[in-house]
């Protein structure tokens, strides 16, 4: 379980979103970070796939997705459209990137409290509009119009370094959050009093809880059964672990030549390849 840092640059048309995204990509890449970007095209009927091309014909025949590979690039064409889209889908395309930058996507992220937001405005009324509807972390309200800046509105050109600093801070915080998540089982069992492992990790990062609040972590020394899939241990709660252990022991005890006492440790290993000791 991991949470990629996602930062969206939002605003109305011609507010300067693309220019700021370009500057952010260049600066983050020069700092050694791997960056993925995504652009929402709010234009009805828009497609990158030209009519009568081979990929277009594949789609018309029913293939979905269609993958096009050339000497210079790989393109994945999905015909699901935005009706089937969620921000979580993007993390599947990101691979091992350090941050995902979005241009647009307002309808999906305006109230998403896990996405960092940079809001580009063209006038004071837009600043008021967004400040009333945006939820979650806002890294900056900014504009390229120098006559507007001040009173909480940042100059996107002259004060770009402060915007970049906020972006880097957000990436750092999400990286810390991921480090905490790696210590948790990812079961979202709720026994810690939080709705999910992510909520517990956020509480740990803010100093309101510790990793030891995780009931599964506390009981690790007591669990006497483990499951490994391709050598990756699958976390289980004590009740399920003991149920598996007792069931396996009961089955094995019916075999001839077994000498079980009932307190044995059980390990289940599942592999796509033969296991050789």
């Amino acid at each position: 379980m991991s949470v990629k840092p996602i930062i969206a640059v939002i605003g109305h048309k011609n507010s300067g979103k693309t220019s700021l995204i370009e500057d952010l990509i260049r600066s983050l890449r020069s700092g050694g970070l791997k960056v993925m970007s995504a652009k929402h095209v709010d234009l009805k009927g828009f497609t990158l796939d030209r009519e009568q091309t081979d990929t277009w014909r594949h789609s018309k025949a029913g293939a979905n997705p269609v993958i096009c590979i050339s000497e210079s690039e790989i393109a994945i064409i999905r015909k699901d459209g935005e009706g089937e889209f969620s921000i979580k889908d993007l993390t599947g395309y990101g691979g091992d990137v350090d941050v995902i930058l979005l241009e647009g996507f307002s309808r999906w992220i305006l109230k998403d409290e896990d996405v960092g937001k940079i809001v580009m405005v063209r006038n004071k009324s837009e600043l008021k509009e967004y400040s009333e509807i945006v939820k979650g972390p806002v890294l900056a309200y900014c504009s390229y119009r120098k006559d507007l800046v001040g009173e909480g509105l940042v100059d996107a050109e002259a004060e770009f370094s402060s915007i970049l600093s906020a972006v880097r801070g957000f990436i750092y915080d999400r990286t810390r959050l991921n480090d905490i998540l790696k210590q948790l089982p990812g079961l979202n069992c709720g026994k810690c009093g939080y709705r999910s492992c992510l909520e517990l990790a956020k509480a740990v990062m803010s100093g309101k809880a510790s990793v030891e609040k995780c009931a599964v972590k506390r009981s690790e020394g007591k669990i006497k059964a483990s499951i490994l899939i391709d050598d990756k241990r699958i976390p289980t709660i004590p009740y399920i672990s003991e149920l598996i252990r007792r069931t396996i022991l009961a089955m094995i005890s019916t075999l001839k030549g077994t000498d079980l006492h009932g307190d044995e440790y059980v390990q289940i290993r599942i592999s796509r390849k033969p296991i050789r000791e």
Side-chain angles (χ1 to χ4, degrees):
M1 177 173 57
S2 65
V3 181
K4 292 281 186 188
I6 301 177
I7 298 170
V9 179
I10 60 176
H12 292 292
K13 188 176 178 62
N14 296 323
S15 59
K17 298 188 297 294
T18 304
S19 295
L20 186 64
I21 283 271
E22 285 179 302
D23 290 340
L24 286 173
I25 292 172
R26 290 191 192 99
S27 297
L28 294 174
R29 288 290 296 126
S30 68
L33 296 182
K34 298 176 182 177
V35 182
M36 168 186 160
S37 70
K39 160 76 177 176
H40 177 232
V41 181
D42 195 12
L43 183 63
K44 192 172 181 63
F46 176 84
T47 178
L48 290 172
D49 198 18
R50 290 180 291 111
E51 193 169 334
Q52 298 304 330
T53 60
D54 291 345
T55 52
W56 180 87
R57 291 170 64 184
H58 287 199
S59 294
K60 281 296 183 182
N64 189 26
V66 174
I67 302 176
C68 180
I69 303 172
S70 72
E71 180 184 9
S72 58
E73 63 186 18
I74 298 174
I76 301 173
I77 304 170
R78 284 178 51 181
K79 294 296 185 180
D80 305 323
E82 63 182 32
E84 301 295 322
F85 171 78
S86 74
I87 292 298
K88 289 182 180 179
D89 292 338
L90 292 174
T91 60
Y93 298 116
D96 63 347
V97 299
D98 298 303
V99 59
I100 298 174
L101 297 181
L102 310 181
E103 181 180 341
F105 296 92
S106 290
R107 75 183 68 165
W108 291 277
I109 60 92
L110 274 175
K111 301 185 185 302
D112 190 325
E113 300 193 1
D114 289 321
V115 176
K117 302 166 190 68
I118 299 173
V119 183
M120 304 293 298
V121 301
R122 300 170 299 182
N123 51 58
K124 292 289 187 180
S125 63
E126 289 180 1
L127 175 61
K128 183 175 184 297
E129 170 196 344
Y130 279 109
S131 64
E132 291 175 349
I133 59 176
V134 173
K135 289 187 177 180
V138 176
L139 308 185
Y141 287 98
C142 50
S143 177
Y144 281 104
R145 284 190 53 183
K146 299 189 181 298
D147 59 313
L148 292 178
V149 298
E151 298 181 8
L153 191 58
V154 177
D155 187 322
E157 184 176 18
E159 299 178 84
F160 175 74
S161 60
S162 68
I163 300 171
L164 181 61
S165 178
V167 167
R168 285 175 172 158
F170 182 82
I171 295 171
Y172 174 74
D173 285 343
R174 299 303 280 187
T175 302
R176 283 181 57 215
L177 185 63
N178 270 327
D179 290 341
I180 297 169
L181 275 171
K182 289 175 184 176
Q183 301 175 54
L184 300 175
L187 294 174
N188 300 325
C189 63
K191 292 185 179 297
C192 61
Y194 293 88
R195 292 178 300 174
S196 65
C197 289
L198 177 58
E199 293 300 315
L200 173 57
K202 289 179 180 178
V204 172
M205 195 168 79
S206 65
K208 296 178 181 178
S210 72
V211 172
E212 296 307 313
K213 192 168 180 65
C214 172
V216 176
K217 290 283 289 184
R218 291 199 307 270
S219 63
E220 278 182 345
K222 303 174 185 178
I223 290 178
K224 298 181 68 176
S226 61
I227 304 171
L228 290 90
I229 299 180
D230 285 337
D231 294 324
K232 179 182 178 182
R233 181 166 178 166
I234 307 302
T236 58
I237 60 176
Y239 168 74
I240 297 298
S241 175
E242 186 61 15
L243 179 63
I244 291 172
R245 190 182 75 87
R246 289 178 179 271
T247 301
I248 294 295
L249 290 178
M251 294 168 60
I252 298 298
S253 67
T254 62
L255 301 177
K256 291 183 179 181
T258 58
D259 183 18
L260 298 174
H261 300 281
D263 60 349
E264 288 83 359
Y265 185 95
V266 171
Q267 184 180 84
I268 302 172
R269 296 180 65 185
I270 302 171
S271 176
R272 293 178 179 86
K273 298 178 181 179
I275 299 173
R276 295 182 176 85
E277 297 292 349

